[in-house]
Amino acid sequence: MPSYDFALILSRPLYEAELDPLFDRTGGLVTVSIIAEPQHADRSGNASCTWQAGTLAEAIMTVTAHLEESAPGLHVLRVEVDPLLTIRDIAERVGRSADSVRLSITGARGPGGFPASELSTGGHRLWRWSKVAAWYGVEDAHLREARPTAQAINGWLALRDVVPDIAPAPEVVTSALSAVLHVA
């Protein structure tokens, strides 16, 4: 069964007391932002994981259910399926050394034009995998599945938020995506 990396944007971070129920449901495979004080509950939260499932849609819907059932009042708002990677992450995915990737970033190796980093914090830069994969010419089946899946699930999450009575069940969305994307 394939593993899928994705992040979920949450209506709020989780409280420490909500971590045990989430851990029990997920075996500790979901990393979440937490808060200790109620005054910080107005911030959005996030969850990230690598989850095994038959499809990306199934993985996202399963983790969404685990989160929302573990933390009453918490809602998943959006999914992000194109991960941000460090130089080491990129090196591992493309089968090169970290030094080789650094040289590609600076233009000292390869054709030049390495994608710009998406985020830079504390001296560390992060790159969007889809852009890096395209630059290296890596064919990633997960990326082909990721774009339409994220678009459909984000639409479903928005519909569920605005008019929950007419939003289809998660299983309907997952089944429809599996049929359209021709995944098992």
Side-chain angles (χ1 to χ4, degrees):
M1 195 172 295
S3 291
Y4 295 96
D5 297 319
F6 57 92
L8 300 170
I9 308 306
L10 311 174
S11 59
R12 64 170 175 79
L14 277 78
Y15 292 103
E16 287 183 45
E18 296 169 325
L19 296 179
D20 285 340
L22 179 63
F23 185 89
D24 291 343
R25 295 182 71 85
T26 65
L29 296 175
V30 177
T31 303
V32 296
S33 55
I34 61 170
I35 54 172
E37 303 294 328
Q39 66 265 27
H40 300 292
D42 60 340
R43 299 177 184 164
S44 62
N46 60 58
S48 60
C49 66
T50 299
W51 198 264
Q52 289 188 336
T55 65
L56 175 58
E58 181 185 328
I60 293 167
M61 293 300 200
T62 299
V63 173
T64 295
H66 286 324
L67 281 160
E68 292 180 348
E69 291 169 16
S70 297
L74 178 124
H75 299 285
V76 173
L77 303 176
R78 190 173 73 252
V79 61
E80 294 181 2
V81 294
D82 189 0
L84 293 171
L85 304 175
T86 65
I87 289 174
R88 288 180 196 239
D89 296 331
I90 293 167
E92 184 177 306
R93 287 187 182 217
V94 300
R96 297 179 182 258
S97 69
D99 286 336
S100 173
V101 173
R102 277 188 196 87
L103 291 170
S104 296
I105 290 167
T106 63
R109 177 171 285 168
F114 195 87
S117 61
E118 298 281 325
L119 183 65
S120 181
T121 59
H124 298 284
R125 294 180 292 172
L126 299 172
W127 288 264
R128 187 73 57 196
W129 170 236
S130 60
K131 294 177 181 178
V132 171
W135 190 86
Y136 276 108
V138 173
E139 287 293 321
D140 186 335
H142 289 293
L143 285 175
R144 285 192 304 275
E145 182 182 356
R147 284 184 189 97
T149 298
Q151 186 177 7
I153 290 178
N154 283 331
W156 174 77
L157 289 166
L159 179 65
R160 184 182 76 154
D161 186 47
V162 176
V163 281
D165 294 340
I166 65 167
E171 301 81 22
V172 173
V173 176
T174 301
S175 177
L177 283 167
S178 292
V180 171
L181 297 173
H182 308 289
V183 290

